Amino acid sequence: MGARVIYWFRTDLRLHDSPALQVALDLNPEVLWPIFTWDPHYVYKARGGLNRWQFLLDCQMDLSASITKLNPKSKLFLIREAPQTVLPKLFKSWKVTHIVFERDTDAYPRERDAAVTAAAEAAGIKVITRSGRTLWDSDAIVKQRDGKPTMSITQLQTTGKQLGLIPRPIPAPTSLPDPGPMPLDFESEPPAPTEDINSEQRTKSDTGYMSIAGPKGDFGIETMEELGFPSATTPHRGGESIALRMLDDIIDNEEYTAKFEKPKTSPAQFEPQSTTLLSPFLHFGALSPRLFYWRVQDLTDAYGNGASKPPTSITGQLLFRDMYFAAQAAIGPAFTQTIRNRHCRFIPWHLRSKVDPKTGMVTGEYEIDSEEAEVWFQRWKRGTTGFPWIDALMRQLRHDGWIHHLGRHSVACFLTRGGCYIDWERGAEVFEELLLDHEPACNAGNWQWLSCSAFFHQYFRCYSPIAFGRNWDKNGDFVRRWIPELKDFPAKFIYEPWKAPIQDQKKAGVRITGDGISEPKDSELATYPKPMFDFNKRRDICMAAMKDAYDVALFGDDPCIMDGTWKGS
Ligand code: FAD
């Protein structure tokens, strides 16, 4: 009997440059089932908004169509059950000999993959994995550094060089084997959920009423509508085909690509944005980071003088991505929190994560030492802080699921050390829900950077929610785009509308009034809220508090932070 292979797509929704798919094809399989499993962890536990769902479905549909182009009998088969429970049943029922997948170094996937691997090996099935999600294999970077995390891109570059050149991309396959028969002779038993899902969250599929092959029984991909979701709002659509076209356009623009310097790209530029917007494709694996890297590097090498270099070049941006992945691979599940993360500085924020004393892991609840800060958090989240630069960015994030890196800097600094003094973990949760490109390693790592909890420590360098926006966009076009209430506001006051005389407000058809939480009732005109605090005062308070936190210099394994309580001065 030839190899009967399940190829399990997860973080690699593409055909090009997939080392794992290539190794599956090198087995010369008699049959190959390309599958994707709906995993209750992502459906119920992870916070993922509608925009990210839409992007995922786009990527799945595009991949499925590409598979069918190579073999009309095949497609991406969607399996509706937790992989830990369904795969052992498929191994038996489909007479599988091999399961192949791309390695995933995030915390939950590591646990999940260990369970699937153990079940496969117990059933005599060979498990083959390959790295393909990053430039270098993150686990190999960690091993080379004797378990130490990469806390700077210089550390990543040095270690990467020791491992050798970033592998060159490999081409997409030109044909795919037929899938084998897919009997579901075990379906009468309802699957046991692997996660602690409460009864309200349980759907028909969890209780086994719906076939794992979906409502039509064809393992098909459903649309947002068929899944019962409201429409997404993002204009950004997913899929490998779009990613490759976007990459071609970027490479065609030789000067842009060769001279790209991140700090010179504007966070206020829109339609089109000033950076590549390829992050959501990288997140879903619709674009290979190695293809992206080498196409840019080859162009840059040929360009010669005047080309930018890491850390500000496009390739430098991809190195930052790898740095966070390798840091997470070294630190493990505690990477996305402060407690038990010995590389993350403890700062006594107003709203701090609660910790389960038994596990030492965060519970998702918060301790509050300032009711006012809770209100600030809510206003930040909904884009009604009264600071137009911050609100425009938060509204773009909610609507589009993407904002420029320096926009992320602005809102993250404002929420944490540069305004509200709220725990970065709370901000990271909002980003987890709203970002199309949400990547646990990059999100947590960048929040640590911006809050000066790890990676970056110059807490005295703070973003002004007024001057920073104005420096990029004097007329406030970006603000007008996202805050239509202010579209006719005079440029002079666009970043500080509360300073505009009443006559100017009336002339612009808007009143600056209200608390940013409740709708003002007595205004005939549109309204935009007053600022939630005096920024200069808050900045001074935050900076003094950061100085204290740094002077006490408490790190993760200090006994005084193990229970999350501050005992410093
Ligand atoms: P480009 O500037 O075109 O860069 C090319 C690629 O390099 C990006 O697609 C991305 O994959 C990578 N990259 C660039 N900057 C970074 C960076 N600082 N860290 C890691 N990778 C980078 N990026 C994510 O991919 N997922 C996240 O969840 C995420 N959360 C963030 C949270 C905060 C608070 C901040 C400040 C940044 C976060 N970033 C995250 C990093 C960065 O903002 C985005 O990767 C970038 O803005 C994506 O836009 P782009 O594709 O146009 O980037």
Side-chain angles (χ1 to χ4, degrees):
M1 186 172 77
R4 300 171 62 83
V5 180
I6 287 187
Y7 186 78
W8 185 16
F9 281 100
R10 305 108 54 89
T11 47
D12 53 337
L13 299 179
R14 65 175 181 277
L15 292 180
H16 72 272
D17 188 35
S18 171
L21 181 59
Q22 188 56 50
V23 80
L25 296 175
D26 290 346
L27 295 167
N28 206 8
E30 177 187 309
V31 290
L32 180 135
W33 296 274
I35 69 160
F36 186 98
T37 54
W38 277 134
D39 187 332
H41 174 86
Y42 293 107
V43 178
Y44 302 118
K45 283 211 157 174
R47 300 171 189 85
L50 291 172
N51 285 336
R52 195 151 79 246
W53 272 102
Q54 168 76 73
F55 207 90
L56 168 63
L57 297 181
D58 285 347
C59 291
Q60 290 177 339
M61 288 193 199
D62 185 66
L63 173 63
S64 192
S66 303
I67 292 173
T68 306
K69 262 190 215 148
L70 295 187
N71 183 336
K73 291 188 194 149
S74 194
K75 65 178 182 182
L76 182 64
F77 297 101
L78 259 279
I79 314 270
R80 291 152 176 82
E81 196 187 309
Q84 297 92 326
T85 55
V86 79
L87 287 170
K89 294 183 277 191
L90 299 186
F91 294 154
K92 203 165 145 205
S93 186
W94 297 0
K95 299 186 179 58
V96 174
T97 59
H98 296 73
I99 177 163
V100 185
F101 50 87
E102 181 174 270
R103 264 204 296 283
D104 186 344
T105 49
D106 288 354
Y108 161 73
R110 276 211 206 263
E111 257 177 54
R112 175 199 61 199
D113 294 349
V116 168
T117 301
E121 286 172 355
I125 285 151
K126 196 143 198 286
V127 180
I128 306 178
T129 68
R130 286 288 181 277
S131 165
R133 202 180 170 200
T134 42
L135 302 176
W136 288 282
D137 177 353
S138 303
D139 284 335
I141 294 277
V142 176
K143 194 164 166 224
Q144 183 71 19
R145 292 178 51 74
D146 295 326
K148 287 197 294 292
T150 42
M151 302 306 286
S152 69
I153 67 161
T154 316
Q155 290 175 352
L156 176 88
Q157 285 169 301
T158 308
T159 316
K161 272 195 196 125
Q162 292 161 0
L163 293 182
L165 265 190
I166 292 165
R168 285 266 169 191
I170 53 175
T174 49
S175 66
L176 286 173
D178 288 352
M182 304 173 77
L184 300 177
D185 43 17
F186 48 82
E187 271 222 319
S188 49
E189 305 162 37
T194 53
E195 301 273 347
D196 181 20
I197 300 161
N198 71 38
S199 55
E200 273 163 285
Q201 288 174 317
R202 236 175 255 282
T203 65
K204 282 199 290 181
S205 61
D206 301 312
T207 48
Y209 302 141
M210 189 201 280
S211 164
I212 64 166
K216 295 183 197 139
D218 62 351
F219 300 95
I221 302 160
E222 284 160 281
T223 60
M224 294 285 278
E225 207 178 3
E226 285 164 342
L227 286 168
F229 288 150
S231 303
T233 53
T234 182
H236 309 306
R237 303 305 297 256
E240 180 184 14
S241 313
I242 297 181
L244 293 176
R245 275 202 301 276
M246 282 171 67
L247 181 59
D248 282 344
D249 288 347
I250 290 162
I251 300 295
D252 282 350
N253 193 342
E254 215 176 300
E255 188 160 332
Y256 169 84
T257 304
K259 289 188 161 173
F260 181 99
E261 285 185 73
K262 187 65 162 270
K264 294 188 181 161
T265 61
S266 168
Q269 192 175 310
F270 59 97
E271 289 161 19
Q273 73 296 330
S274 61
T275 54
T276 66
L277 220 163
L278 286 173
S279 51
F281 300 93
L282 289 164
H283 168 66
F284 286 107
L287 177 65
S288 146
R290 294 166 183 185
L291 177 72
F292 188 8
Y293 179 90
W294 278 114
R295 288 203 65 190
V296 174
Q297 188 59 49
D298 287 343
L299 180 148
T300 310
D301 288 344
Y303 195 84
N305 280 350
S308 56
K309 293 194 179 68
T312 57
S313 61
I314 295 184
T315 50
Q317 307 315 298
L318 291 167
L319 292 172
F320 277 116
R321 182 174 178 272
D322 256 47
M323 173 190 82
Y324 289 122
F325 270 93
Q328 177 181 248
I331 295 170
F335 183 69
T336 53
Q337 59 182 51
T338 302
I339 306 298
R340 299 259 159 136
N341 177 352
R342 44 190 305 144
H343 297 273
C344 182
R345 188 179 290 265
F346 175 75
I347 293 165
W349 309 109
H350 287 320
L351 305 175
R352 286 191 300 278
S353 290
K354 267 194 186 161
V355 178
D356 179 339
K358 282 197 204 115
T359 62
M361 302 303 279
V362 294
T363 58
E365 290 168 11
Y366 287 86
E367 297 180 62
I368 300 177
D369 75 7
S370 156
E371 294 297 333
E372 207 180 20
E374 180 61 36
V375 174
W376 295 340
F377 175 68
Q378 296 305 334
R379 290 184 63 173
W380 175 84
K381 195 173 158 184
R382 57 169 87 171
T384 58
T385 63
F387 293 98
W389 174 244
I390 300 295
D391 293 342
L393 288 161
M394 291 306 290
R395 293 182 195 192
Q396 183 192 22
L397 174 62
R398 183 167 294 278
H399 187 272
D400 282 7
W402 183 90
I403 48 176
H404 184 281
H405 185 58
L406 294 178
R408 300 183 202 204
H409 271 227
S410 299
V411 299
C413 179
F414 182 84
L415 185 75
T416 56
R417 66 186 168 87
C420 307
Y421 214 61
I422 288 173
D423 195 340
W424 64 266
E425 290 172 41
R426 273 205 106 175
E429 277 174 15
V430 173
F431 272 34
E432 178 180 347
E433 181 195 337
L434 300 179
L435 279 176
L436 291 174
D437 63 28
H438 171 255
E439 201 76 83
C442 299
N443 192 37
N446 275 289
W447 272 96
Q448 289 168 24
W449 180 302
L450 262 299
S451 62
C452 286
S453 307
F455 298 102
F456 178 76
H457 307 284
Q458 296 174 23
Y459 61 81
F460 41 86
R461 294 182 61 184
C462 189
Y463 290 89
S464 157
I466 299 152
F468 189 68
R470 188 183 281 143
N471 285 346
W472 285 106
D473 176 16
K474 207 162 186 313
N475 190 44
D477 292 341
F478 177 77
V479 166
R480 294 172 206 281
R481 160 72 181 83
W482 288 104
I483 310 182
E485 306 90 285
L486 298 181
K487 78 177 171 17
D488 297 320
F489 223 72
K492 185 175 169 200
F493 298 112
I494 191 84
Y495 292 100
E496 301 171 284
W498 61 92
K499 290 193 175 165
I502 297 290
Q503 303 88 290
D504 286 9
Q505 296 183 23
K506 283 189 177 158
K507 211 167 143 205
V510 59
R511 286 298 313 278
I512 306 305
T513 180
D515 61 10
I517 294 285
S518 46
E519 279 296 315
K521 290 198 183 75
D522 50 357
S523 177
E524 284 167 13
L525 298 174
T527 62
Y528 177 75
K530 289 186 173 162
M532 60 191 196
F533 45 59
D534 177 330
F535 171 70
N536 290 335
K537 275 195 195 143
R538 281 302 308 166
R539 185 195 46 212
D540 293 349
I541 292 169
C542 287
M543 230 176 263
M546 288 298 289
K547 184 173 182 314
D548 266 2
Y550 264 64
D551 285 349
V552 177
L554 293 174
F555 273 87
D557 55 352
D558 189 295
C560 78
I561 70 155
M562 293 313 263
D563 63 356
T565 24
W566 171 252
K567 298 194 178 71
S569 58

